[in-house]
Amino acid sequence: MNFGFNEEQELLRSTARKFFDNECPSTTVRTLMEAPEGMTSELWKKLAEQGWLGLIAPEEHGGMALGIVDLVVLLEEMGRAVVPGPFFSTVLLGGLAILEAGSDAQKKAWLPKICSGEARATLAWMEPSAELGAAGITLQAAAKGSGFTLNGTKLFVHDAHTADVIVVAARTSSGQNPEDGISLFLVPKGTPGLAVTLLPTMDQTRKLCEVTLTNVSVGGEAIMGAPGAGGKPLARVIDRATVGLCAEMCGGAQKVLDMTVEYAKIRQAFGRPIGSYQGVKHKAADMLVDVENSKSITYYAAWAMDEGVPEGPLAVSMAKAYVSDAYRRVSGAGIQLHGGIGFTWEHDLHLYFKRAKGSEFTFGDATWHRERVAQLVNL
Amino acid sequence: MDFALTPEQTSFRDEVRSWLKKNLPKDWTDRMRIGSDVPRPEVYDFLRKWQRQMYEAGFVGVTWPKDYGGRGLTFMEEMILHEEIAITKAPPVLNILAIGMAGPTIIAYGTEEQKRRYPPKMLSCEEIWCQGYSEPNSGSDLASLQTRAEKVGDHYVVNGQKVWTSLAHQSDWMMLLARTDPKAEKHKGITYFLLDMHSPGVTVKPLKQITGDAEFNEVYFDNVEVPEANILGGLNNGWAVGMTTLMYERLALGFGLQVRLRIALDGLVDLARRSKKGGAPATKDATMRQKLAQLWIDTEVFKYTGARAVTKLLKGELPGPEASAGKMMWVEGHQRLQELAMELQGPYAQLGRGTKWAVDGGVWQHSFLRSRANSIEGGTTEIQKNIMGERVLGLPKG
Ligand SMILES: Cc1cc2nc3c(=O)[nH]c(=O)nc-3n(C[C@H](O)[C@H](O)[C@H](O)COP(=O)(O)OP(=O)(O)OC[C@H]3O[C@@H](n4cnc5c(N)ncnc54)[C@H](O)[C@@H]3O)c2cc1C
Ligand SMILES: Cc1cc2nc3c(=O)[nH]c(=O)nc-3n(C[C@H](O)[C@H](O)[C@H](O)COP(=O)(O)OP(=O)(O)OC[C@H]3O[C@@H](n4cnc5c(N)ncnc54)[C@H](O)[C@@H]3O)c2cc1C
């Protein structure tokens, strides 16, 4: 057992920390979040040059062939810097779905472009019912000749407005098990009948869209894998993406703790630094426990994903349940301990607070994942 | 990042596993259904025998050097051992203060003679140890202690009183902190002694606890003579030595407590399956499922945070924030677990030993009451948070 990071991973961490300090300080974050794209092409290009867009893609498709644990290191740093833009949707949603479910031809067509930064991708799975899990997927894909016709609405789709390709989860049939009959389709930007609307979000660093498909006609080459067999790969993608999200959340929570401790050392009240008062100190200690535990369970879940151990999904749900609550508590305490200044737009804390809230409901909140834990341990 | 065991570690695990399978006392799991409970007086003799057996098999003090009775293995094996103990719900080690604290401190600070004399007898449970730190007027503020030790010839004469001394009534030896220089600053005039509890002038008076048991004591010293050779780590150096002990205590607690939380959780889930809510097992009730699942998650999280601390130790680094979180997590988790055990029983939670109506013979009640000590013993939660705030986060002292 070695439950720590190796030298390459530590190097990745320090490189990423420096990179985001330089390339994406909070002034940049604020500019990016106010722009509809949430990203500049210069920064996107630099991310590609680092190799990070292809971190987990195979070498033959232009990637670095690293694992989820490595991705966790990078995402922790991105969460720390609250980097906006379609990295998450491209690498962990669309890209991972193609990696997981795509044919050789589909991989060849999209992965090299994703790795090089030429193409952005995303995954459209959730619908207005907001139901997680396979039962929530009702968007119809009717067979038509050698192709399919797609009709329906997807909601909460990350960065669909800037995506070059959207992986759409649809229902081609229904079976006894809600997972049966789900198919994944590659729908490129500009396909007739595909409409994308950017939605106003609380966390402006994260763009969410409504995607409607009205008689969208795709050829047989658009389906990923056998018809009806998309449920399992979709679940695997979501589990991995959930771990990635947890890593981002850990990085954000750590940053809030760091900011708060720094502030508590210098801010004076009643003639002393506020950090010397136990009311403040003890809150900071609670934040520390939340942050450390969040990391522990996230690292375990990432390892479990890379190793494909049977308890992988359990580890993912334990992580998401724990980290959702922890990041909310930590970012809330961060605002509290900053007093009035923590309540301003000018201070960065609200960026983290909003990220925490948005992330809490992405891929299921703590209550949903606790129930999944209960099922997986046979309660 | 690798959570898998090496072949050597796997074979150590198998060794532990098969030994436990063969030697685990059959009636134990029935006797102590909820493993978080502390050893009760009526099982002390049984536990002495059990520890001796474990020791002879090589499963006590696995990280201690071979020269001093240990096995010279790493914290990794210690962790594996504890995991197996948790899975099989094996009885706890009785001489816990010796194994967790006194032993490692003597190995760190002792003379060669002390290191050969004491640790082996701790491991075999021949000599039980207690910790004489707290006094009526110094608990959290330990450095304010007033028990005096004055030099007379080649020995020291101790006068004063300790309180809340767990196991003192069973103990042969005490880790004693006493003031040897009343004029020095309060942290600087303290010495760490190894005190023979059978010395003339030592009086132990049991104190009845909230549970009704007498597990801790008042200890009085009336001109008790301690040879100079029983000073550990040098005259007036007791604060540093005592703090080392507490660091080991926290580490040992981290391993041991994760085990106890796991065992208690299994017991709780079992209780929930047997309890009815709306005509169905309580495990099927949505609210109960949420609470149980959260405890499950917290128990696992505790384990992985511990694993990160162990990884640092194995690399020769001191554990950082991961280790300080341990004690607080245990306390918070365990108290919540015991509250949930009460909630599952509803009105039956009120009934104790002595009626057929009591759930599991009233054993949960005892562990529920006992769990209130968790946030006090071994340093209160408030003190723990001060330490984390100041030493880990670097916040200024109050
Ligand atoms: C929405 C909003 C509206 C407001 N409107 C008004 C208004 O109309 N008029 C007005 O005068 N003010 C107003 N305020 C200011 C408000 O009263 C102050 O923000 C508040 O009193 C805290 O002061 P501070 O911001 O300087 O924080 P600080 O005093 O710097 O406190 C920072 C943190 O340290 C903690 N802390 C400080 N001292 C101690 C201590 N001794 N022990 C334990 N913890 C301590 C605080 O609780 C806080 O968590 C408003 C603030 C907000 C957010
Ligand atoms: C079951 C049990 C077994 C024990 N076994 C032993 C043993 O074997 N050997 C031994 O030496 N001791 C033992 N103790 C004693 C234990 O270590 C002390 O009770 C503990 O350190 C607290 O000291 P105190 O009881 O004097 O409380 P106090 O120090 O009087 O504290 C009272 C309250 O004030 C709070 N407080 C005190 N100072 C601060 C501060 N600076 N900041 C914030 N809050 C503060 C405390 O957290 C606590 O909530 C045991 C205690 C129990 C309950």
Side-chain angles (χ1 to χ4, degrees), chain B residues 39 55 72 116 137-138 141 204 212-213 227 261 300 315 348 355 362:
Chain B
Y55 167 63
R116 293 199 181 268
N137 291 314
S138 64
D141 184 11
V204 176
D213 286 348
L261 197 56
E300 289 294 292
K315 285 185 185 160
Y348 287 93
T355 156

Side-chain angles (χ1 to χ4, degrees), chain B residues 145-277:
Chain B
L145 61 87
Q146 292 303 324
T147 292
R148 298 271 306 263
E150 281 167 297
K151 186 150 193 220
V152 181
D154 61 356
H155 58 257
Y156 281 77
V157 176
V158 180
N159 279 291
Q161 187 203 334
K162 295 288 169 181
V163 74
W164 325 130
T165 319
S166 301
L167 280 176
H169 56 304
Q170 297 279 332
S171 292
D172 306 289
W173 290 90
M174 172 188 270
M175 308 166 240
L176 171 73
L177 287 183
R179 192 159 295 287
T180 35
D181 184 355
K183 287 189 219 86
E185 267 179 71
K186 69 179 192 174
H187 292 85
K188 295 199 172 136
I190 298 171
T191 299
Y192 194 119
F193 291 95
L194 311 176
L195 177 118
D196 183 347
M197 289 293 279
H198 308 293
S199 311
V202 176
T203 309
V204 176
K205 285 195 186 156
L207 284 166
K208 203 166 175 176
Q209 299 180 329
I210 196 171
T211 55
D213 286 348
E215 174 206 331
F216 60 20
N217 308 269
E218 292 176 301
V219 182
Y220 294 88
F221 308 104
D222 184 12
N223 289 319
V224 178
E225 293 188 6
V226 189
E228 193 172 1
N230 284 22
I231 288 177
L232 183 69
L235 187 65
N236 295 329
N237 193 31
W239 188 253
V241 182
M243 286 304 106
T244 308
T245 307
L246 291 180
M247 192 194 81
Y248 282 115
E249 177 177 27
R250 244 165 260 141
L251 261 178
L253 285 175
F255 293 121
L257 297 179
Q258 142 69 20
V259 172
R260 279 161 65 178
L261 197 56
R262 175 87 254 161
I263 295 177
L265 177 65
D266 289 347
L268 183 79
V269 170
D270 181 57
L271 174 68
R273 289 209 167 99
R274 289 181 278 123
S275 309
K276 286 277 189 296
K277 210 157 187 243

Side-chain angles (χ1 to χ4, degrees), chain A residues 278 282, chain B residues 97 101 130-142 162-168 175 209 215-217 249 370 372-384 386:
Chain A
Q278 288 186 340
H282 288 190
Chain B
L97 295 158
M101 298 192 269
C130 63
Q131 180 189 23
Y133 282 21
S134 302
E135 297 182 9
N137 291 314
S138 64
S140 301
D141 184 11
L142 180 59
K162 295 288 169 181
V163 74
W164 325 130
T165 319
S166 301
L167 280 176
M175 308 166 240
Q209 299 180 329
E215 174 206 331
F216 60 20
N217 308 269
E249 177 177 27
R370 181 60 180 78
R372 296 320 306 176
N374 299 156
S375 45
I376 301 168
E377 59 193 341
T380 66
T381 296
E382 290 73 23
I383 296 298
Q384 217 64 38
N386 284 349

Side-chain angles (χ1 to χ4, degrees), chain A residues 308-352:
Chain A
V309 296
E311 65 268 29
L314 173 62
V316 171
S317 277
M318 291 197 298
K320 187 57 169 57
Y322 193 91
V323 182
S324 292
D325 284 345
Y327 194 12
R328 183 188 58 237
R329 286 191 292 258
V330 168
S331 58
I335 292 181
Q336 177 63 23
L337 296 182
H338 276 76
I341 195 164
F343 194 71
T344 62
W345 189 268
E346 196 187 345
H347 201 283
D348 288 340
L349 275 166
H350 71 96
L351 303 177
Y352 294 87

